[in-house]
């Protein structure tokens, strides 16, 4: 196992291009990695039900979802880090007062606290998924939630950051912010997997492009930023590959010597 590695891939802007399509070169590269005995995993901010088709297409059963809050190893739940519900209730009350809708998310579904809102449609539509949040303002009761979406224009999340210290707020869309448990990250989720599998740092790799990938790319020794990544992400990565639109996964794996 000494020459085998574990490679974590973000989804949006990394595996999937702007049109939410998986480039053929990336698909072939993933299967070549597996053929060579490496462990291939996903590390995403998405909910598990948002990338079931991709997991099936790539035959991947190990993943870090919800930015590290729900981790699965070989098809079995390894680690969870749910939101603090009392604080979430208070945040939801403040959001209602500010006319900012929220969407509650567990490992199976997502529910909005309002029947409909343009911000929800505008941001969720960009994911190009078949499921859309339905209305259930009390979905947070009696269940573990791993992420909540707060919908507000850029900059308006600052008021929540100042008041709700049990959460981290990571913007992923001009009108939407991920609400995560304080200190939760893809890096923390990855830590659970590599600890279980026993891979040394030298044999750990990660590919990403967004702000929610920064801690992952800072923590994983062999980190690769996509060519389409934001500058802050490129600055923290060990390597920078080509854009996802330009066979970035394939070239990145060549760059680090895995292909």
């Amino acid at each position: 196992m000494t020459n085998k590695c574990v490679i974590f891939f973000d989804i949006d802007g990394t595996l999937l291009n702007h049109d939410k399509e998986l480039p053929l070169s990336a698909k072939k590269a993933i299967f070549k990695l597996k053929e060579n005995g490496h462990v291939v995993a996903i590390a995403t901010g998405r909910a598990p039900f948002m990338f079931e088709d991709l997991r099936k297409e790539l035959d991947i059963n190990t993943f870090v979802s919800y930015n590290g809050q729900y981790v699965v190893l070989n098809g079995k739940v390894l680690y969870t880090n749910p939101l603090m519900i009392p604080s979430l209730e208070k945040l939801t009350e403040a959001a209602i007062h500010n006319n900012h809708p929220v969407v509650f998310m567990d490992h199976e579904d997502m529910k909005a606290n309002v029947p409909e809102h343009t911000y929800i449609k505008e941001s969720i539509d960009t994911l190009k998924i078949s499921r859309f949040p339905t209305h259930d303002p009390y979905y947070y009761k009696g269940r573990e939630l791993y992420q909540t979406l707060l919908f507000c224009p850029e900059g308006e999340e600052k008021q929540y950051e100042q008041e709700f210290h049990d959460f981290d707020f990571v913007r992923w869309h001009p009108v939407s912010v991920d609400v995560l448990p304080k200190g939760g990250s893809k890096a923390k989720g990855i830590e659970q997997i590599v600890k279980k599998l026993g891979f040394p740092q030298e044999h750990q790799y990660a590919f990403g492009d967004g702000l929610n990938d920064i801690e992952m790319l800072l923590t994983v020794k062999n980190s690769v930023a996509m060519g389409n990544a934001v500058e802050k992400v490129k600055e923290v990565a060990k390597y920078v590959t080509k854009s996802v639109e330009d066979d970035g996964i394939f070239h990145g794996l060549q760059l680090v010597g895995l292909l």
Side-chain angles (χ1 to χ4, degrees):
M1 193 67 185
T2 52
N3 295 321
K4 305 307 178 186
C5 302
V6 59
I7 308 101
F8 294 90
F9 294 97
D10 169 54
I11 293 180
D12 299 287
T14 301
L15 283 176
L16 300 185
N17 62 23
H18 179 73
D19 294 318
K20 305 304 178 187
E21 298 169 338
L22 176 69
L24 182 59
S25 63
K27 183 174 181 177
K28 288 182 176 179
I30 296 296
F31 279 100
K32 187 63 177 176
L33 288 175
K34 296 170 69 170
E35 184 183 316
N36 292 340
H38 300 302
V39 175
V40 179
I42 286 173
T44 180
R46 288 188 178 217
F49 55 81
M50 289 183 177
F51 59 103
E52 286 177 300
D53 290 346
L54 182 63
R55 296 203 304 274
K56 289 177 182 175
E57 183 176 359
L58 296 176
D59 191 25
I60 292 177
N61 300 306
T62 295
F63 60 86
V64 172
S65 64
Y66 282 135
N67 290 310
Q69 317 321 311
Y70 192 85
V71 178
V72 169
L73 175 62
N74 296 323
K76 296 182 179 179
V77 179
L78 176 66
Y79 169 81
T80 61
N81 183 31
L83 293 161
M84 294 183 64
I85 297 302
S87 298
L88 181 61
E89 284 186 288
K90 293 178 181 176
L91 182 147
T92 302
E93 290 172 4
I96 291 171
H97 178 75
N98 295 325
N99 194 29
H100 292 156
V102 299
V103 166
F104 307 113
M105 309 177 81
D106 64 4
H107 62 293
E108 294 178 325
D109 208 349
M110 55 182 171
K111 300 288 185 178
N113 72 327
V114 294
E116 58 183 26
H117 196 285
T118 54
Y119 287 173
I120 298 178
K121 179 171 173 50
E122 181 182 335
S123 54
I124 298 294
D125 278 354
T126 66
L127 297 174
K128 296 191 177 180
I129 56 177
S130 58
R131 193 178 305 198
F132 194 81
T134 52
H135 181 219
D136 183 351
Y138 303 110
Y139 193 67
Y140 62 87
K141 291 182 178 291
R143 70 182 75 239
E144 289 191 340
L145 301 179
Y146 305 105
Q147 184 168 283
T148 290
L149 301 180
L150 170 67
F151 298 86
C152 62
E154 290 188 64
E156 293 188 19
E157 71 274 19
K158 299 297 182 185
Q159 58 186 305
Y160 300 97
E161 292 175 355
Q162 293 169 3
E163 184 176 351
F164 298 99
H165 301 147
D166 290 331
F167 305 128
D168 284 331
F169 298 83
V170 182
R171 183 165 290 280
W172 65 276
H173 185 275
V175 296
S176 187
V177 174
D178 291 333
V179 181
L180 304 168
K182 189 71 175 179
S185 69
K186 291 184 182 183
K188 295 284 177 63
I190 287 172
E191 182 183 322
Q192 301 297 323
I193 290 175
V194 297
K195 184 167 63 177
K196 188 75 173 178
L197 294 179
F199 282 95
Q201 287 188 340
E202 293 76 16
H203 294 168
Q204 300 172 25
Y205 294 78
F207 285 68
D209 73 299
L211 296 177
N212 62 338
D213 294 318
I214 288 178
E215 189 165 347
M216 172 178 77
L217 297 180
L218 280 170
T219 304
V220 175
K221 187 174 181 66
N222 301 295
S223 56
V224 185
M226 304 300 289
N228 49 279
V230 296
E231 285 306 312
K232 286 182 180 179
V233 174
K234 292 179 180 178
E235 289 169 7
V236 303
K238 186 174 181 180
Y239 305 95
V240 178
T241 183
K242 296 183 179 182
S243 165
V244 62
E245 308 283 356
D246 194 21
D247 301 322
I249 293 295
F250 173 76
H251 287 292
L253 290 168
Q254 283 193 320
L255 181 66
V256 300
L258 288 174
L259 288 181

